[in-house]
Amino acid sequence: MAYLYTLAVQILATAEPVPISEGGEGGGGLRLLLPVPEELIAGLIAFGIVFAVVWKFGIPALNETLDARAAAIKADLDAAEQAKQEAESLLDDYRAQLAGAREEAARIVEEAREAAEEVRADILSRAEAEAEAIRGRAREEIAAERERVAAELKQQVADLAIEIAGKLVAESLDVERQRQLVDRYIEELGGVR
Amino acid sequence: MEQLILASGECDLTQQTVCAPADVTELFEYRIPVFEILGFPITRTVFLMFLAAAIVAAITFFGLRRKAVVPGRFQAAVEALFGFVRDEVAIGIIGPHGIRYYPYLLAIFLFVLVGNFFEITPFVNFPITSRMALPASLAALTWVIFIAAGIKRQGVRYVADILWPPGVPVFLRPLVGAIEFVSTFLVRPFSLAVRLFANLVAGHVMLTLLLTTGLVSLTTIGEIGALKGAFGIAWWALGLAIFLFEVVVIVLQAYIFTLLSAVYIETSVNPAH
């Protein structure tokens, strides 16, 4: 490497121009138009090297890279397409599940409402029945009480009447006879009411 | 440094305005071999030609060896360079068939580009494409290729149609045929070679004269006086401006050489024009 470097420096520093053409026929710039043998040969060899490198290595390597890149891009696109489809099917699944869940929820709510309605109706009817029963019982009790009170009253009124009548008539009628009379009177009173 | 460019010892700015060599070939001919390989002289120019080939090979190798699917900067740049010649020149000019000529056009483009760039490469400062050997041999290769392509594609008709062009009034055919023949087979390779050669010669001459004169006048300003020294600085500044301008010339001439090679091949393989 060091040798090559020294060599390169040595060559680059060799700037000594060739002596102006011998014999002075020189023609100056026109002579530049004529290729020099060693440069012609070197130029063709150097171009051959460039051509070989470009043709045998550069272009195949680049094509390989470009093919790999195209394949990678295609694979990426395919993967993206697949992922998209997967996502779409997943979304559909979720949508279906969501719809199912909504339906289910609605059904549950409906069921709950129906159950609640049933319970309400049940409670209501039971309450009504109970109330009716209570009312019935109360009515019966009231009726019985009235009956009892009426009977008692009747008794007391009869007793009172007899007592008063007895006092008024003063022993004119016997007790049994008076009772019958009073009873009839009360019956008549009941009919009037 | 001066001796690298020119025998500036001969330059006497008290007598001259610009340091010019007695013969312009002094700026181009380096024919004293530094050493020989099997009798073949390795001169500075010969060495630079192989150096250019080595640089192209290195750029190709290091640029494309990794084959990364996601390229780094350097790989992307080399790929862009290759892709440019393939898409814009080979396929863009010649058409789908152009892919066959892509390796040749690419090799020409890269080799001429690096050879041109030696014009402004520090410590080299010498475009190998300013030596007629290179443009001439590459133009000759293009010449052989476009003639071979024409004959392969059209057979004898390729030459016949040039010598006796159809679609031209019969009495004009000999004249047009002769002009076409000279233009296609003689002028084309010559103009192709000379265009590249002359551009690089001109650039090298301008840069050498202006920068050398500037350098010499700056170092000898005490002897030549302030006025001439100012001239020298002006030359030097102009030289630097042209230095930048030459970057354009370098790239453009490499492109034009490749492009015209493609155009010539195209006229051979697509006779419809």
Side-chain angles (χ1 to χ4, degrees), chain B residues 54-140:
Chain B
I55 289 172
V56 173
I59 289 172
T60 306
F61 180 71
F62 290 111
L64 301 177
R65 134 191 93 143
R66 280 185 56 232
K67 297 176 188 166
V69 173
V70 179
R73 282 182 192 167
F74 185 54
Q75 186 186 335
V78 176
E79 283 179 5
L81 208 59
F82 275 51
F84 170 75
V85 176
R86 187 190 57 206
D87 299 335
E88 302 299 321
V89 181
I91 294 174
I93 300 291
I94 304 175
H97 295 293
I99 201 75
R100 294 189 53 207
Y101 304 97
Y102 164 43
Y104 172 70
L105 295 171
L106 182 61
I108 280 204
F109 181 65
L110 295 176
F111 191 43
V112 172
L113 188 66
V114 172
N116 285 357
F117 256 111
F118 277 168
E119 182 187 1
I120 56 168
T121 306
F123 305 111
V124 177
N125 291 312
F126 178 64
I128 50 174
T129 35
S130 69
R131 298 300 290 151
M132 195 53 176
L134 217 54
S137 52
L138 295 183

Side-chain angles (χ1 to χ4, degrees), chain A residues 12 31 33 36 39 69, chain B residues 29 44 69 79 131-132:
Chain A
L12 287 175
R31 213 179 68 192
L33 272 175
V36 172
E39 290 170 8
R69 195 168 298 157
Chain B
E29 291 210 328
R44 184 172 187 264
V69 173
E79 283 179 5
R131 298 300 290 151
M132 195 53 176

Side-chain angles (χ1 to χ4, degrees), chain A residues 124-193:
Chain A
L124 211 60
S125 68
R126 234 183 308 162
E128 258 167 23
E130 205 163 317
E132 192 52 42
I134 292 169
R135 263 204 305 276
R137 246 190 339 267
R139 220 177 291 138
E140 276 166 23
E141 271 170 23
I142 290 167
E145 190 68 9
R146 197 170 56 193
E147 209 103 312
R148 199 181 53 81
V149 169
E152 205 167 297
L153 196 63
K154 204 159 67 182
Q155 186 67 39
Q156 280 179 9
V157 166
D159 288 352
L160 210 59
I162 290 164
E163 201 178 325
I164 295 164
K167 276 176 189 168
L168 285 177
V169 177
E171 306 289 324
S172 63
L173 290 170
D174 71 329
V175 173
E176 197 49 44
R177 183 97 169 94
Q178 285 171 0
R179 184 173 299 269
Q180 278 170 2
L181 197 70
V182 169
D183 277 350
R184 210 177 58 226
Y185 172 69
I186 288 169
E187 283 302 317
E188 280 171 14
L189 274 179
V192 169
R193 187 182 55 138

